[in-house]
Amino acid sequence: MADRDRNPWHRFLALPNESRVKTIGVAFLVSAVSAAFVSGATVLLRPIQSANRAAEEQARIEALVENIPGIGSLLSQAGGTLSTLVVDLTSGRAADGVTPATLDAALSDPANWSALEPEADLAGLGQRPDFAQIFLLRDGSGRVSLVLLPLSGQGYGGRLDAILALRGDMNTIAGIAITGHSETPGLGARIEEASWQASFPGTELRDTAGEMRFRVARGPASGVHEVDGITGATRTGLGVTRMVRFWLGPDGYGRLLDAIDRGEF
């Protein structure tokens, strides 16, 4: 009598195709192999996806700069290239050990977020990331002539996201791009219109005493510190006002702007 095959795999394959054990086993193996392939593909594609998102963000930033009146000559002088870095908002310096490529991983750690006291939380965020990626444009002498800052806050319908461009004096707005919102169509959603965003260039954030004065007016702007309001969207305008005031203040980019103004970047 032939010796019985003791190899479990051979014994499994020898089972009849109509065997319930074999059917369940094959289904399990197919599922396991498929899951392994999907997991492997996810790991392999993650760097590519991150690079694509970074490229899209860079393209959006460059498009914003190109559309700011008078910036074309600065782009030409600087070769049309923006430099980017991650800053530590707590110190106002370049982040130590955090790069644009590792920023998402750093911000996935709750320890790299700071809770905001209610009286300081103008933008309605609850907490603020300790690191942020910014973009700089330099003139022929190497001095920062333009800085682009990502902003976020709460509008009437939900979260607002924007990129604000400041001139080299760190007080004059060069332009704004609303990159995300949930505002009411036909009302607050008009913040994404170029005609409304066109009222930002030249607006000054602070008065001569250094006090933050920027705001979205209830109607047409009446001074150098105001931008036009949107009829029927007062709460959206208030959200934009608070967002800008928070991020350009001491709990946002304030320390960074002071450092740039001192020529430390």
Side-chain angles (χ1 to χ4, degrees):
M1 185 176 192
D3 291 338
R4 184 178 182 183
D5 192 341
R6 297 181 179 277
N7 187 308
W9 177 244
H10 291 169
R11 293 170 61 186
F12 174 77
L13 292 178
L15 291 172
N17 289 337
E18 61 271 15
S19 168
R20 180 176 298 178
V21 172
K22 189 172 186 179
T23 300
I24 295 174
V26 169
F28 173 79
L29 289 173
V30 170
S31 298
V33 171
S34 299
F37 275 116
V38 171
S39 297
T42 299
V43 171
L44 291 173
L45 292 175
R46 186 175 293 122
I48 298 174
Q49 293 170 339
S50 297
N52 288 341
R53 285 195 297 269
E56 291 172 359
E57 181 72 6
Q58 182 73 11
R60 186 163 59 245
I61 293 289
E62 291 177 352
L64 167 64
V65 173
E66 291 172 357
N67 289 327
I68 297 173
I71 298 302
S73 60
L74 291 176
L75 281 172
S76 298
Q77 294 171 14
T81 302
L82 291 167
S83 64
T84 182
L85 76 157
V86 175
V87 294
D88 184 332
L89 297 179
T90 302
S91 65
R93 309 289 183 181
D96 184 15
V98 182
T99 67
T102 62
L103 178 60
D104 285 346
L107 294 183
S108 68
D109 183 351
N112 290 327
W113 290 74
S114 295
L116 297 168
E117 296 296 331
E119 61 272 15
D121 189 15
L122 297 178
L125 299 172
Q127 58 181 351
R128 181 217 67 191
D130 292 339
F131 305 107
Q133 183 179 7
I134 67 165
F135 298 81
L136 302 171
L137 184 67
R138 300 180 185 275
D139 59 22
S141 66
R143 186 173 177 82
V144 175
S145 57
L146 192 75
V147 58
L148 279 72
L149 307 169
L151 314 180
S152 58
Q154 289 294 319
Y156 173 67
R159 182 183 171 100
L160 298 173
D161 292 292
I163 297 169
L164 186 73
L166 292 183
R167 298 282 183 180
D169 63 2
M170 298 299 112
N171 190 54
T172 305
I173 296 176
I176 193 172
I178 302 297
T179 57
H181 71 84
S182 301
E183 301 306 279
T184 306
L187 294 173
R190 291 179 57 199
I191 59 174
E192 67 184 8
E193 295 178 1
S195 58
W196 180 73
Q197 296 176 23
S199 67
F200 277 76
T203 304
E204 297 180 7
L205 298 170
R206 299 176 179 83
D207 60 21
T208 55
E211 181 179 354
M212 176 64 72
R213 296 283 302 279
F214 170 86
R215 77 183 188 101
V216 177
R218 288 181 175 272
S222 60
V224 71
H225 303 292
E226 294 184 352
V227 298
D228 294 339
I230 297 174
T231 302
T234 301
R235 291 177 65 179
T236 299
L238 181 60
V240 173
T241 297
R242 289 176 171 173
M243 176 176 67
V244 172
R245 288 191 173 196
F246 170 79
W247 283 104
L248 279 299
D251 294 301
Y253 296 110
R255 293 181 179 86
L256 168 69
L257 300 183
D258 290 342
I260 295 176
D261 195 44
R262 293 192 299 266
E264 298 175 4
F265 276 82

